[in-house]
Amino acid sequence: MTRPQRRRSVLSRALVGYLAAAGSADAFVPLRHVVGGGGNGAAVVASTSAFRRTAGLSMSGGGGAAEEQDEARALLERVRKMREEIAALEGRSVEDVEREATDKKVQEKSREEELRVEREAREEARKLGPRYRMSDGKFLEVPLTAEGQVRQAAEAATRAFKAGRTRQTVRFELMGEEDPLNEDRNWPGGAEQMYREAAGPLTRALLGEVRAPTGEGDDVRVGYRPNVTSEDIWDFDGSALITAHAATGPEDDVRAMVLPNTDNKYTKDIKTLDAEMGDRLFMLVNPFWRNLESWGINLLAPRAKQLAQEAIFDRGFDETYVLLRTSVRGEDCIALKAYPYDWQLFAFIENEAWPYEENIIRLGETKEEPTSVQFAEFMEGRDEFKMNKNMRNLQRMRNRD
């Protein structure tokens, strides 16, 4: 490492240490706005002693508030010169150096919040008992009812919101309130029927359970059930906008767009709502696209793909809860994603003791959405699936004879 590089490293550590020690929004104010006085002096004084330790600076203490103000100004002048030196060494502006230091602080806070959510999830699993004391999602179970699916999705969405994910995507296995999970469903009425019988009720129930307060207060009304309303977008598309009006006020409202597709109208509506919602939770529920390639080529809307990239994919909308049913080698399989855990893979198998019921076997987990090949590999390693379903049925028939 060259001498300028070593100097830059020392200065950078000192600056990052200052921001970490300050721990206040006032610490992000550009130093040129603070040196010489101003409304942020108190915040700077509060962080002065911590920065001395972090930056390796030495100042005499004591002497009252006036002396502390003088020390703070001297400290800020020292930091300002350090930033100017970093900028000169790298050929950048002081504003760029300030922005870099601020970004690092924001990233640290985001990581700290993610770790906090993970700790809470581990504590929740610990309270459930020894078999649930896992932080990798192995304690997750397949929800067999619509109610169980909603509860699981609400818990995942709430964990994600606490970790800073204000834009989310939820993909339910569309099912009626009384329907069993492992049942084939047809939708002859298309998207309208899907919304009327499944997507609409599931989303309204979800928004009735999710709590996403944006403030720092402890208002007891946060736990009150919100007033959930629905507004059709295009009824022939089965699309709608559902809003949970929080008891604490509109600043804590949650909104969800249900069954949007790749038509430009939805992309533009999402962009508008994204801007309106700010830091509040905004979800997309069972959108008809899988990724950006779903837009394809549209001669009537040549910029549709670019607009989708900007309005949806660049804005996050992470999948925080997904329940997928699929068939692999003739076996009914489930892929479950619940934030912040990896994908959990399951398969149904006949109950030997009761032919009208099936058991669920956990196969494993994957970091990304599993493929049919991965499902097959997991099943090949299990004795229960050494024979395919047809062979198992034949074997049972022979045993009866």
Side-chain angles (χ1 to χ4, degrees):
M1 182 182 290
T2 65
R3 184 176 179 181
Q5 288 174 329
R6 286 196 299 271
R7 177 64 175 163
R8 192 253 189 258
S9 177
V10 171
L11 291 170
S12 295
R13 285 197 299 271
L15 285 173
V16 172
Y18 165 70
L19 289 176
S24 165
D26 291 323
F28 296 113
V29 176
L31 295 176
R32 62 182 181 279
H33 293 169
V34 182
V35 175
N40 296 287
V44 175
V45 170
S47 61
T48 300
S49 60
F51 179 55
R52 290 178 194 161
R53 295 191 300 271
T54 307
L57 301 177
S58 176
M59 286 185 175
S60 61
E67 185 174 345
E68 288 188 353
Q69 289 281 356
D70 291 339
E71 288 183 359
R73 293 190 180 95
L75 171 62
L76 290 173
E77 179 65 19
R78 174 77 177 272
V79 174
R80 183 183 64 79
K81 290 179 179 179
M82 291 163 64
R83 283 184 170 173
E84 289 178 350
E85 187 171 348
I86 290 177
L89 285 170
E90 296 189 345
R92 298 191 297 161
S93 67
V94 175
E95 288 78 6
D96 285 343
V97 175
E98 289 178 347
R99 191 179 303 110
E100 179 187 36
T102 300
D103 289 344
K104 286 182 179 179
K105 177 61 178 176
V106 171
Q107 291 170 5
E108 287 176 5
K109 288 183 72 66
S110 176
R111 179 56 183 158
E112 288 172 3
E113 183 63 22
E114 288 185 358
L115 291 174
R116 184 186 67 79
V117 171
E118 290 179 3
R119 286 195 300 271
E120 289 181 356
R122 286 196 295 271
E123 179 63 17
E124 181 182 342
R126 185 190 66 78
K127 291 178 180 178
L128 290 173
R131 62 175 292 209
Y132 295 100
R133 291 175 189 172
M134 307 172 190
S135 61
D136 55 5
K138 291 179 181 178
F139 66 91
L140 292 171
E141 297 181 351
V142 176
L144 297 177
T145 64
E147 180 182 2
Q149 192 177 188
V150 167
R151 187 183 307 111
Q152 203 172 58
E155 292 171 354
T158 301
R159 288 194 296 265
F161 180 79
K162 288 181 178 179
R165 280 144 174 89
T166 61
R167 301 295 179 264
Q168 302 181 24
T169 297
V170 170
R171 296 184 185 275
F172 288 115
E173 167 61 23
L174 296 181
M175 55 191 294
E177 184 177 355
E178 304 297 332
D179 293 344
L181 175 66
N182 191 29
E183 180 180 87
D184 292 330
R185 279 170 281 276
N186 296 314
W187 307 103
E192 290 181 80
Q193 183 186 5
M194 292 168 66
Y195 172 76
R196 183 176 64 253
E197 297 181 7
L202 286 168
T203 305
R204 284 189 287 272
L206 172 64
L207 264 61
E209 296 289 336
V210 171
R211 301 292 183 271
T214 57
E216 298 293 334
D218 54 356
D219 193 328
V220 295
R221 294 177 299 168
V222 167
Y224 293 1
R225 188 172 182 83
N227 178 32
V228 180
T229 61
S230 304
E231 176 187 352
D232 289 345
I233 299 177
W234 275 349
D235 55 357
F236 56 84
D237 267 352
S239 56
L241 184 64
I242 298 180
T243 304
H245 303 275
T248 49
E251 66 274 12
D252 294 334
D253 287 354
V254 177
R255 307 192 86 175
M257 184 179 289
V258 188
L259 299 180
N261 59 45
T262 57
D263 191 286
N264 255 9
K265 171 179 172 52
Y266 295 107
T267 309
K268 292 176 181 178
D269 285 353
I270 290 169
K271 186 174 183 179
T272 300
L273 288 166
D274 178 38
E276 290 177 358
M277 290 299 288
D279 293 334
R280 294 176 292 178
L281 178 56
F282 176 34
M283 294 187 284
L284 303 178
V285 178
N286 285 71
F288 278 102
W289 59 79
R290 292 301 303 170
N291 51 46
L292 186 60
E293 298 308 313
S294 299
W295 269 259
I297 299 174
N298 187 343
L299 297 179
L300 298 178
R303 293 189 65 255
K305 192 172 184 178
Q306 179 183 344
L307 181 61
Q309 178 71 57
E310 297 170 357
I312 301 171
F313 297 96
D314 287 349
R315 293 293 298 147
F317 288 101
D318 302 321
E319 289 184 339
T320 54
Y321 184 79
V322 184
L323 182 63
L324 299 177
R325 284 184 62 222
T326 185
S327 178
V328 179
R329 292 182 6 183
E331 309 290 353
D332 294 324
C333 300
I334 295 288
L336 174 64
K337 167 71 176 175
Y339 183 91
Y341 307 111
D342 292 340
W343 286 84
Q344 306 299 312
L345 282 59
F346 304 87
F348 288 89
I349 194 166
E350 306 83 4
N351 185 337
E352 296 292 342
W354 183 247
Y356 305 105
E357 189 177 273
E358 290 184 307
N359 294 328
I360 300 175
I361 293 178
R362 184 181 181 278
L363 299 175
E365 60 189 327
T366 59
K367 292 291 184 183
E368 304 297 332
E369 182 177 334
T371 64
S372 57
V373 172
Q374 289 173 310
F375 266 109
E377 289 174 350
F378 278 118
M379 285 190 287
E380 286 172 1
R382 298 295 299 256
D383 291 338
E384 299 93 328
F385 298 101
K386 291 298 183 182
M387 295 187 291
N388 63 35
K389 184 178 289 187
N390 289 334
M391 293 298 295
R392 294 197 301 271
N393 288 334
L394 287 173
Q395 186 179 57
R396 279 196 299 275
M397 292 173 64
R398 292 195 188 100
N399 292 338
R400 291 194 197 102
D401 296 340

